[in-house]
């Protein structure tokens, strides 16, 4: 049986005037149901583009993406709308909460556009924020706001949740609380694809690591193997550099 999520020879080319930008260049990888996959790599590698294509926010220029046996890369605009509302949760670097709605109302708002939403209070409890349900975003810390954003994605009861650098905008002391929520979701068997620079987290919590650079997948492996025995020289160089800056 095919994997739950498959990327097969997927490309994305942007045209900027005369210039052609190969943001993603013939990549293939798979994610099993319940798997926690991370994408690591330097800025400009094409990581966000991968999430946007899987999330139905950006069309592929070539190749095939499937989710649960359905060819997402062939969807028309209407099918994409349904797909974004029912099947995919997205957590961004900047949480984008509505400032004049409470934490609970922000989660309820997202639930309104999908078919079978989970109870907003229940998912807020899941991210440890029951006590903050009636606070406005401006009254919450960055870490708490990002946890509301995670609850908002969870409320849609998606098949897959995509995280694009969910802790990059946070003060260091708030990174841990967001990572622990994500770790808990992974343990509960949610299918997750996460772009992150948190190498310790990727190494210890994720099941698979995909390393991208310049639009291509340089190396992919079970995470314990990827970090313990990287095969490619380029991967070793990247991991060394990250260690020195962390
Ligand atoms: P990453 O998330 O790994 O930093 P991105 O996926 O954002 O990388 O970008 C990959 C490449 O594609 C970069 O060179 C970026 O400038 C380019 N790119 C991304 N989005 C667009 C766009 N909408 N138009 C033109 N170029 C883009
Ligand atoms: Mg990015």
């Amino acid at each position: 049986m095919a994997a739950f999520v498959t990327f097969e020879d997927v490309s994305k080319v942007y045209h900027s005037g005369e210039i052609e930008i190969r943001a993603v260049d013939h990549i293939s990888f798979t994610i099993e149901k319940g798997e926690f996959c991370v994408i690591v790599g330097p800025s400009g590698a094409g990581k966000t583009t991968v999430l946007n294509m899987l999330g139905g926010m950006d069309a592929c220029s070539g190749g095939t993406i499937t989710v649960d046996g359905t060819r997402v890369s062939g969807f028309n605009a209407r099918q994409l709308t349904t797909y974004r509302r029912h099947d995919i949760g997205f957590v961004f670097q900047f949480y984008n909460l509505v400032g004049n709605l409470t934490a609970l109302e922000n989660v309820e708002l997202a639930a309104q556009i999908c078919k079978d939403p989970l109870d907003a209070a229940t998912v807020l409890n899941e991210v440890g924020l029951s006590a903050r349900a009636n606070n406005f975003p401006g009254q919450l810390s960055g870490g708490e706001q990002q946890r509301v954003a995670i609850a908002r994605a969870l409320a849609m009861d998606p098949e897959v949740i995509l995280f694009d650098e969910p802790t990059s905008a946070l003060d260091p002391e708030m990174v841990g609380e967001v990572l622990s929520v994500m770790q808990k979701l992974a343990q509960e068997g949610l299918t997750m694809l996460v772009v992150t620079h948190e190498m310790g987290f990727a190494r210890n919590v994720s099941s698979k690591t995909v390393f991208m650079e310049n639009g291509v997948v340089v190396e992919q492996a079970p995470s314990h193997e990827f970090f313990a025995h990287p095969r490619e020289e380029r991967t070793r160089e990247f991991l060394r550099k990250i260690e020195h800056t962390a």
Side-chain angles (χ1 to χ4, degrees):
M1 213 182 81
F4 192 61
V5 173
T6 69
F7 272 63
E8 217 183 298
D9 205 26
V10 172
S11 296
K12 177 70 193 184
V13 182
Y14 292 109
H15 296 276
S16 170
E18 300 279 280
I19 302 167
E20 202 184 77
I21 301 160
R22 301 200 147 267
V24 170
D25 202 2
H26 299 281
I27 68 163
S28 300
F29 68 94
T30 59
I31 310 172
E32 300 297 335
K33 195 167 176 69
E35 188 169 42
F36 175 1
C37 178
V38 299
I39 303 180
V40 301
S43 174
K47 307 181 297 296
T48 294
T49 305
V50 167
L51 294 191
N52 287 346
M53 289 190 289
L54 179 56
M57 292 152 66
D58 214 343
C60 310
S61 311
T64 307
I65 299 175
T66 66
V67 176
D68 201 10
T70 303
R71 214 176 119 241
V72 171
S73 46
F75 278 168
N76 64 29
R78 229 186 82 222
Q79 289 169 314
L80 279 175
T81 302
T82 308
Y83 170 72
R84 283 193 297 264
R85 291 182 178 187
H86 294 172
D87 299 324
I88 294 292
F90 220 121
V91 177
F92 304 92
Q93 182 175 351
F94 299 101
Y95 356 103
N96 306 318
L97 301 178
V98 182
N100 64 341
L101 296 180
T102 64
L104 185 68
E105 288 165 348
N106 265 280
V107 178
E108 286 169 344
L109 183 68
Q112 275 173 21
I113 63 163
C114 69
K115 201 170 43 182
D116 289 311
L118 302 179
D119 177 60
T122 306
V123 290
L124 263 188
N125 186 41
E126 175 109 359
V127 301
L129 286 177
S130 290
R132 314 290 287 185
N134 297 319
N135 284 113
F136 293 94
Q139 301 168 327
L140 301 174
S141 73
E144 288 169 336
Q145 290 185 62
Q146 188 60 301
R147 285 190 281 148
V148 174
I150 293 173
R152 177 178 62 185
L154 282 176
M156 303 172 76
D157 198 16
E159 299 284 344
V160 187
I161 299 203
L162 312 178
F163 296 77
D164 197 357
E165 302 195 27
T167 59
S168 294
L170 297 176
D171 289 335
E173 70 268 26
M174 290 166 191
V175 168
E177 67 190 67
V178 171
L179 296 182
S180 347
V181 165
M182 293 169 65
Q183 177 165 14
K184 183 171 146 223
L185 299 177
Q187 283 160 352
E188 288 169 5
L190 207 72
T191 309
M192 298 163 57
L193 179 58
V194 180
V195 172
T196 185
H197 297 294
E198 296 291 334
M199 293 300 143
F201 178 67
R203 178 180 192 142
N204 297 322
V205 181
S206 74
S207 44
K208 175 188 236 172
T209 300
V210 175
F211 170 46
M212 286 186 71
E213 184 170 53
N214 295 326
V216 304
V217 171
V218 175
E219 179 163 352
Q220 53 179 316
S223 298
H224 56 90
E225 210 174 294
F226 178 89
F227 286 96
H229 310 288
R231 290 186 305 268
E232 302 293 329
E233 178 47 36
R234 185 57 203 112
T235 309
R236 289 193 282 270
E237 195 184 316
F238 173 74
L239 291 175
R240 271 198 303 270
K241 225 182 258 171
I242 288 263
E243 257 168 43
H244 286 301
T245 53

